[in-house]
């Protein structure tokens, strides 16, 4: 009868360490990939109770007037810097001072000459949420 080789304690710990390290790296990769896809997603949802006026959300802002909500990119059309609030009706680019009308995205003061990119924004009647998509509206493409 042939004897089966016995696995040494050292080999067992080496195998266990390799498998454990591989599992840890796989979990870390999956979690970091999930966070990246969450940051790069193209659709955002907001509850129906968006306040009147301007609300900033990083890559875009919402402008609510009565029952309508419009979404615009927060990237200045002059040099690609982020815009921020100046007062309740205007937005300002911190890089070169361009000002935009918050309600329409149109430039009020240069150097920017093009309006802010308007984004798709609609109310989902099933969920009661406003859905914003971070790509250009069809009528602005082309």
């Amino acid at each position: 009868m042939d004897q089966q080789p016995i696995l040494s304690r050292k080999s067992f710990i080496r195998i266990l360490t390799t498998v454990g390290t591989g599992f840890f790296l796989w979990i870390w990769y999956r979690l970091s990939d999930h966070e990246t896809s969450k940051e790069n997603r193209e659709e955002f949802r907001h509850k129906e109770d968006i306040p009147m006026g301007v609300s900033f959300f990083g890559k875009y802002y919402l402008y609510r007037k009565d029952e309508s909500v419009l979404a615009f990119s927060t990237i200045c059309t002059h040099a690609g810097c982020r815009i921020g609030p100046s007062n309740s009706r205007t937005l300002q680019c911190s890089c070169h001072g361009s000002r935009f009308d918050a309600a329409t995205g149109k430039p009020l003061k240069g150097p920017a000459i093009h309006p802010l990119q308007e984004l798709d924004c609609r109310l989902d009647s099933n969920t009661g949420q406003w859905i914003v998509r971070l790509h250009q509206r069809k009528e602005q493409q082309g």
Side-chain angles (χ1 to χ4, degrees):
M1 240 175 17
D2 290 334
Q3 272 192 338
Q4 301 254 339
I6 299 175
L7 187 63
S8 70
R9 184 179 306 168
K10 187 176 183 180
S11 295
F12 175 75
I13 290 174
R14 190 176 291 155
I15 291 169
L16 191 61
T17 302
T18 304
V19 169
T21 302
F23 182 72
F24 171 76
L25 291 173
W26 179 76
I27 293 290
W28 178 66
Y29 171 78
R30 296 294 294 167
L31 289 175
S32 63
D33 183 47
H34 174 70
E35 289 302 314
T36 302
S37 67
K38 215 164 82 171
E39 290 172 5
N40 293 331
R41 66 183 168 172
E42 298 223 359
E43 183 175 285
F44 295 87
R45 295 177 173 263
H46 299 277
K47 293 181 182 176
E48 196 173 4
D49 60 348
I50 295 169
M52 294 293 176
V54 179
S55 299
F56 277 89
F57 296 97
K59 296 179 181 180
Y60 63 97
Y61 75 91
L62 299 177
Y63 183 81
R64 182 169 192 156
K65 182 179 179 188
D66 301 323
E67 295 302 313
S68 68
V69 175
L70 298 173
F72 295 93
S73 171
T74 56
I75 297 175
C76 179
T77 56
H78 171 246
C81 298
R82 293 267 181 207
I83 59 166
S86 176
N87 62 40
S88 63
R89 291 280 302 162
T90 63
L91 307 171
Q92 182 171 347
C93 175
S94 59
C95 291
H96 301 108
S98 295
R99 290 182 182 256
F100 298 89
D101 179 34
T104 64
K106 292 182 180 173
L108 301 173
K109 175 184 173 276
I113 58 172
H114 299 289
L116 296 171
Q117 177 187 12
E118 188 171 354
L119 306 170
D120 285 330
C121 182
R122 66 177 177 83
L123 180 64
D124 183 348
S125 58
N126 294 331
T127 63
Q129 295 177 321
W130 287 97
I131 300 172
V132 177
R133 290 201 174 96
L134 294 185
H135 54 80
Q136 285 182 298
R137 294 180 59 153
K138 301 243 187 288
E139 55 268 24
Q140 287 187 353
Q141 292 177 346

